[in-house]
Amino acid sequence: MEQAHKGINHVMENGVSIVITTSHNASKETVELAKELSAKFNVPYYNRRHISERLKDGTLKMYYVVDSNKNLSVVIDGQKLFFHPGISKIRMENYKREGRDFLLEALRPESTDIVYDGTFGLGMDAVFIANFVSQVVGTEVSEHIYRVVSYGIANYKSKEEWINRALKRIVLFNEDMKEFVKKQPDRSYDIVYCDPMFENPVFESSALNPIRPLASYDTIDGTTVNELIRIAKKRVVIKTLAKDGLLERLNKEGINFDRVIVSKKNGLIFACIDLV
């Protein structure tokens, strides 16, 4: 998938480098962890006191931060992106209180299912899904989102035991969904889920705003959906917005949906292709 900042890597296309640093007044252990991640990511380590001057002179617009709690985030254009399953917790509370969740109604998961999440992002859906299945396999094309989220999945500790169990059921790869699915055998996942970035996003949704500069805005077409169908045993579910034109375009390409679940509250659509 094409990345919004396609040239962002060790050095951005405009020559601005990417570094890793710590929060202010970092402990020795925090500095050592930042240096370890520096080697792992192949990006330079900078002492925190040198960051401000590089931001002022424009030679730095993006950097990783290891904080005093050993959490990892990435800062770009003043926005901080980090992993936190708090929305999954709220979603679970709502589900227990109301007895329904549109995503679960679409997926119809069983405890033995293996789910493929092709557009993982921050994992807000995946953590919730993982509570109801045996495993979630995800792909995230953005290298920087992948680094922050995979680190969070491996190291986050929640007071909610169901979240800790769910995180252990997630396997995440830094790959393009369209290329990844081509390598998968037929019927290799029980359920396939795809949540491409919305065409007309609700920018008031502040939880997703930090991801936007780094995310892929590549959409999906009939060829991609047919590949998703090929690797699914039970169903394929695509999430979009009522005001986006994705489903109409897919219909024109011959993709038909068996169920379409619409949330009137936020305009979310879960379009389902049931194979069994």
Side-chain angles (χ1 to χ4, degrees), residues 47-74:
N47 187 293
R48 180 70 194 207
R49 64 176 178 269
H50 298 308
I51 296 297
S52 296
E53 58 194 61
R54 297 202 70 197
L55 290 171
K56 288 179 181 178
D57 66 21
T59 58
L60 182 66
K61 292 185 178 180
M62 175 176 172
Y63 56 98
Y64 292 98
V65 179
V66 180
D67 68 21
S68 57
N69 294 318
K70 299 184 179 179
N71 298 313
L72 177 68
S73 60
V74 62

Side-chain angles (χ1 to χ4, degrees), residues 77-203:
D77 296 333
Q79 297 252 43
K80 180 185 287 188
L81 174 70
F82 59 94
F83 173 79
H84 194 287
I87 291 179
S88 298
K89 179 182 177 181
I90 295 171
R91 189 170 195 165
M92 182 64 76
E93 291 171 352
N94 291 339
Y95 171 65
K96 289 180 177 179
R97 183 178 61 253
E98 300 170 6
R100 70 174 305 191
D101 181 90
F102 289 116
L103 177 56
L104 291 184
E105 289 180 19
L107 296 177
R108 295 177 175 173
E110 297 182 57
S111 60
T112 56
D113 285 342
I114 298 175
V115 176
Y116 170 57
D117 183 345
T119 47
F120 197 88
L122 294 179
M124 294 179 184
D125 289 336
V127 175
F128 182 69
I129 294 169
N131 180 69
F132 301 94
V133 300
S134 66
Q135 187 178 61
V136 174
V137 176
T139 49
E140 172 50 51
V141 67
S142 167
E143 180 180 38
H144 306 290
I145 297 172
Y146 166 78
R147 285 172 174 170
V148 169
V149 174
S150 60
Y151 179 90
I153 289 171
N155 295 280
Y156 188 86
K157 296 295 183 291
S158 175
K159 294 179 181 179
E160 301 282 337
E161 276 308 310
W162 77 264
I163 292 179
N164 295 327
R165 289 194 300 269
L167 293 175
K168 292 178 181 178
R169 296 174 185 165
I170 296 174
V171 179
L172 182 59
F173 297 96
N174 182 203
E175 290 201 42
D176 182 326
M177 175 184 69
K178 292 180 179 180
E179 296 304 317
F180 181 85
V181 297
K182 292 176 183 178
K183 299 180 287 185
Q184 306 308 301
D186 293 356
R187 295 168 55 83
S188 49
Y189 300 93
D190 295 288
I191 302 168
V192 173
Y193 177 58
C194 181
D195 174 21
M197 291 291 284
F198 298 144
E199 298 165 12
N200 299 286
V202 180
F203 286 100

Side-chain angles (χ1 to χ4, degrees), residues 216-236:
S216 165
Y217 287 82
D218 189 15
T219 188
I220 57 174
D221 56 19
T223 300
T224 304
V225 175
N226 281 320
E227 280 292 291
L228 299 181
I229 293 170
R230 180 185 64 79
I231 67 171
K233 294 178 185 176
K234 296 180 178 179
R235 67 190 49 86
V236 173

